[in-house]
Amino acid sequence: MHDYTEFDGQLLVLIGGGISGLPQLTQQLQTLAAQFCKGSRINSPGRVVDRRLQALRRAKKITYLRTGWTLPDKF
């Protein structure tokens, strides 16, 4: 089991800073996401980012609007 605390924190900082698209988030977190791919069934850093975005959405820490991902207090 991985500890995604640091990764999720970076995602929240980027989303709060206005970066809201999956390609841009994946580009910014490429190195950090690649660490979770080693020894895992997930072989794409983009997939790691997508899974963490969905986990944060389910936890109601972020939401998705037509313009992209955003923090709940920003919409």
Side-chain angles (χ1 to χ4, degrees), residues 44-58:
S44 167
R47 188 71 184 123
V48 172
V49 173
D50 183 54
R51 284 182 172 208
R52 295 315 304 162
L53 286 169
Q54 296 304 323
L56 291 170
R57 180 188 57 80
R58 285 191 302 271

Side-chain angles (χ1 to χ4, degrees), residues 36-51:
F36 295 109
C37 295
K38 295 177 184 170
S40 173
R41 295 182 307 154
I42 304 170
N43 56 7
S44 167
R47 188 71 184 123
V48 172
V49 173
D50 183 54
R51 284 182 172 208

Side-chain angles (χ1 to χ4, degrees), residues 3 14-16 35-36 41 50 53 60-61 72 74:
D3 180 19
L14 290 171
I15 292 169
Q35 295 174 6
F36 295 109
R41 295 182 307 154
D50 183 54
L53 286 169
K60 303 204 184 314
K61 293 185 179 183
K74 291 205 171 192

Side-chain angles (χ1 to χ4, degrees), residues 1-65:
M1 186 86 172
H2 294 290
D3 180 19
Y4 293 101
T5 307
E6 180 184 350
F7 191 83
D8 290 351
Q10 288 293 325
L11 267 174
L12 292 172
V13 167
L14 290 171
I15 292 169
I19 299 174
S20 61
L22 180 60
Q24 296 86 5
L25 291 168
T26 301
Q27 182 181 10
Q28 293 288 324
L29 296 169
Q30 183 82 23
T31 305
L32 197 55
Q35 295 174 6
F36 295 109
C37 295
K38 295 177 184 170
S40 173
R41 295 182 307 154
I42 304 170
N43 56 7
S44 167
R47 188 71 184 123
V48 172
V49 173
D50 183 54
R51 284 182 172 208
R52 295 315 304 162
L53 286 169
Q54 296 304 323
L56 291 170
R57 180 188 57 80
R58 285 191 302 271
K60 303 204 184 314
K61 293 185 179 183
I62 60 173
T63 190
Y64 188 79
L65 302 174

